[in-house]
Amino acid sequence: MRLAQVLVLGLSVGVLGCSNKPLHDIRSNSDGPDEFMVVPVKPLTAPQDYDVLPAPTPGGGNLVDRNPEADAVEALGGRPSALDPDGGIPASDGALVASASRYGVAPNTREELAEQDAEFRKRQARWSGFKLFPVDRYSQAYRREAIDPFPVNESFRRTGRETPTAPAPE
């Protein structure tokens, strides 16, 4: 009887270990409200002219909706319009783009990188699915890709290059 119980337990643990889990296991363990679902809006303002109002855009943005990226760009002195993917490249950035693309630009870089990353994660996930306890699988999958900043900083300092001040490793 003991052998049967051990086999059932081992089989159930093995089946649970084969489940398809995401790399980052982010979930709430409470039944309470999600504080990130409540987003404050900008204050309402009256339009300059009630005869010239923008057309309604169902599912689109609202004038009082927050846009954290655009707000941060504006606060740092940038142009929030530069975040618009359909806005094109501003003329002021033409020289930078020309210099960066002087050796050519592959038109499908994002798709190619996404395919390579999916294949990499598939190879890494072969054995990382067998875990008895919850772990951050993202850190496990990309552990060989991570750079330890302290040895890199020291190697730059040894060559005489200026480096920013950094806290000592813990």
Side-chain angles (χ1 to χ4, degrees):
M1 186 65 177
R2 278 250 197 250
L3 181 61
Q5 290 174 340
V6 170
L7 286 176
V8 168
L9 180 65
L11 183 63
S12 62
V13 168
V15 169
L16 287 174
C18 295
S19 64
N20 188 11
K21 299 174 191 146
L23 287 178
H24 281 300
D25 191 12
I26 301 172
R27 62 180 163 203
S28 175
N29 293 332
S30 71
D31 295 332
D34 186 0
E35 62 272 13
F36 296 107
M37 293 298 290
V38 179
V39 179
V41 295
K42 295 178 182 176
L44 293 174
T45 57
Q48 298 285 344
D49 186 4
Y50 284 97
D51 294 330
V52 185
L53 293 175
T57 54
N62 194 336
L63 295 176
V64 295
D65 289 344
R66 293 214 182 261
N67 184 345
E69 288 95 6
D71 294 344
V73 167
E74 187 175 5
L76 294 171
R79 294 184 323 269
S81 61
L83 296 174
D84 183 18
D86 299 328
I89 299 168
S92 60
D93 292 340
L96 174 66
V97 171
S99 176
S101 59
R102 65 186 175 271
Y103 300 117
V105 177
N108 61 344
T109 301
R110 290 180 190 263
E111 294 83 11
E112 187 177 320
L113 284 175
E115 288 174 12
Q116 289 175 358
D117 189 52
E119 180 61 32
F120 173 78
R121 283 186 282 121
K122 184 178 178 183
R123 283 193 318 266
Q124 293 295 319
R126 285 192 181 127
W127 300 107
S128 66
F130 300 106
K131 301 293 178 204
L132 296 177
F133 303 102
V135 293
D136 185 11
R137 294 164 36 112
Y138 183 88
S139 298
Q140 288 181 338
Y142 292 100
R143 69 184 170 277
R144 290 192 178 111
E145 310 298 321
I147 297 174
D148 188 3
F150 299 107
V152 172
N153 195 15
E154 282 302 315
S155 68
F156 272 90
R157 286 181 180 170
R158 280 194 298 270
T159 62
R161 295 186 183 143
E162 290 186 25
T163 59
T165 59
E170 295 178 0

